[in-house]
Amino acid sequence: MKRTEQIIVYIGYALLAVALLFFALPALNYPSEVDLFVLVIVNIAVCVLVSVILGLVTGISKLSIIYPIMVGLLFYPTAFIFYNDSALIYVPVYIIICVVAVCVGWLINPKGLI
């Protein structure tokens, strides 16, 4: 496989993991008193972990920069489905956190693993 195709596959896996987090986790405990904990702590921790791993594997490329935008777009519908519209403030937060985490992964391993 070419490097571009490999990056697309890794981004797909990362987006799948984040989508499962954004949609499945709130569905399991909805309605609950721990929505804020899930929204702030768990989602951000998993987004950082997945983004750092993606940065380690792919490095910085044009395709890996699309990943944080896709994470923001994935969270957008969950704000209306599981939370209220005040959760939309987290869309740019997730985007910024994912950009920083991908860059941290890239700084750890600038060449990437693929």
Side-chain angles (χ1 to χ4, degrees):
M1 248 200 277
K2 294 182 182 178
R3 185 173 192 276
T4 304
E5 293 170 349
Q6 289 177 332
I7 291 174
I8 291 172
V9 168
Y10 284 116
I11 290 174
Y13 287 142
L15 287 173
L16 179 65
V18 171
L20 286 174
L21 170 77
F22 284 166
F23 286 98
L25 195 60
L28 292 176
N29 69 354
Y30 186 77
S32 170
E33 298 294 326
V34 296
D35 285 339
L36 186 62
F37 175 75
V38 169
L39 183 66
V40 175
I41 304 298
V42 176
N43 283 354
I44 289 176
V46 172
C47 281
V48 166
L49 178 70
V50 171
S51 299
V52 167
I53 292 171
L54 185 71
L56 282 169
V57 173
T58 64
I60 295 290
S61 68
K62 292 176 186 173
L63 291 174
S64 63
I65 297 301
I66 293 173
Y67 166 75
I69 296 168
M70 296 299 293
V71 168
L73 291 175
L74 277 174
F75 182 73
Y76 190 78
T78 61
F80 292 110
I81 295 171
F82 298 109
Y83 310 109
N84 55 22
D85 59 348
S86 65
L88 288 176
I89 190 68
Y90 289 102
V91 172
V93 170
Y94 287 134
I95 291 172
I96 292 168
I97 286 173
C98 287
V99 166
V100 170
V102 167
C103 291
V104 166
W106 172 72
L107 287 173
I108 294 171
N109 188 12
K111 295 182 180 180
L113 298 177
I114 58 171

